[in-house]
Amino acid sequence: MPENSVLAPPRDCPACPRLVAFREEQRTRRPEWHNAPVPSFGPERPRLLIVGLAPGLQGANRTGRPFTGDWAGDLLYATLLTFGFAEGVYDERPDDGLRLSGARITNAVRCVPPENKPTGPEITTCRPYLSGELAAVAEGGAVVALGRIAHDSTLRALGVRLAAAPFRHGAEHALGRVTLFDSYHCSRYNTNTGVLTTEMFEAVFARVRAYLT
């Protein structure tokens, strides 16, 4: 099967009116950008699924590949290369030839939201696509949630009560067929303020690598 054959929203998905309006505004301003739901990146049945929040306006929304073209992607892809979850060179372009190895990247919300803040109903509306991604993770696989929203949406997609697996950076939650690993989101805001350091981020993926070995 093609890498992106897991169910994904159509290019002109009408489900969230606010996101549709913002998408149309961006298409008018930047017609050369992707400006559509961003498909997941990586093999269809991964051992590791990384769940982000939503496409960044000038990152994935521009390039059409998750975490590509902004600081969050610089840190994420460098870390995946360090721990053997990616091969090649990350060059902030979807045609840079970078390949993921046993890993796949998706977002809780597939369309860019204004101010990078999706609403609760938008997260809920997009959750069936996340559920499909989670169902495709290999038995005994790992999920890394980047931030609380990704964590909570993942739990809800898996039918797990939020109180049963509270979010905390570095936490690990055994959830039946997969184990969930939590990390603060690798956004520039978190790294600039010291909420997340490169060492903290790499420590999460070191644990994931050890778990999957």
Side-chain angles (χ1 to χ4, degrees):
M1 285 185 172
E3 285 197 346
N4 293 313
S5 61
V6 172
L7 181 65
R11 177 172 175 79
D12 293 309
C13 180
C16 301
R18 188 181 74 115
L19 301 188
V20 171
F22 190 61
R23 182 176 71 212
E24 292 302 323
E25 177 185 336
Q26 298 309 313
R27 286 180 179 179
T28 299
R29 291 183 175 184
R30 298 284 191 173
E32 73 278 13
W33 287 9
H34 178 72
N35 291 322
V38 175
S40 302
F41 175 46
E44 184 179 81
R45 189 165 174 76
R47 298 186 68 207
L48 166 62
L49 180 68
I50 300 158
V51 183
L53 169 59
L57 178 60
Q58 298 185 52
N61 178 67
R62 174 174 61 85
T63 64
R65 191 176 74 180
F67 289 88
T68 299
D70 55 21
W71 165 249
D74 291 347
L75 179 55
L76 176 59
Y77 284 114
T79 303
L80 295 180
L81 285 162
T82 295
F83 290 96
F85 292 115
E87 302 172 349
V89 177
Y90 170 66
D91 195 26
E92 300 186 11
R93 298 178 291 106
D95 60 350
D96 56 14
L98 184 77
R99 293 184 59 83
L100 299 188
S101 179
R104 185 172 171 91
I105 304 173
T106 194
N107 278 307
V109 175
R110 299 296 187 90
C111 291
V112 60
E115 300 180 350
N116 201 38
K117 294 178 180 178
T119 66
E122 289 163 356
I123 297 166
T124 299
T125 297
C126 215
R127 190 167 298 128
Y129 300 110
L130 178 58
S131 296
E133 297 286 351
L134 290 164
V137 177
E139 184 82 23
V143 178
V144 172
L146 301 179
R148 183 180 298 274
I149 290 177
H151 168 93
D152 288 356
S153 195
T154 296
L155 292 184
R156 289 189 168 105
L158 293 171
V160 177
R161 293 184 302 109
L162 300 190
F167 176 82
R168 177 177 58 81
H169 179 82
E172 302 175 24
H173 307 282
L175 303 176
R177 56 184 300 275
V178 299
T179 294
L180 174 64
F181 295 79
D182 287 337
S183 174
Y184 293 133
H185 195 283
C186 48
S187 67
R188 184 182 290 276
Y189 176 81
N190 281 344
T191 56
N192 281 353
T193 58
V195 170
L196 178 69
T197 65
T198 298
E199 292 74 20
M200 290 168 62
F201 196 61
E202 289 183 344
V204 172
F205 283 88
R207 287 291 305 133
V208 173
R209 172 51 74 194
Y211 168 78
L212 292 174
T213 299

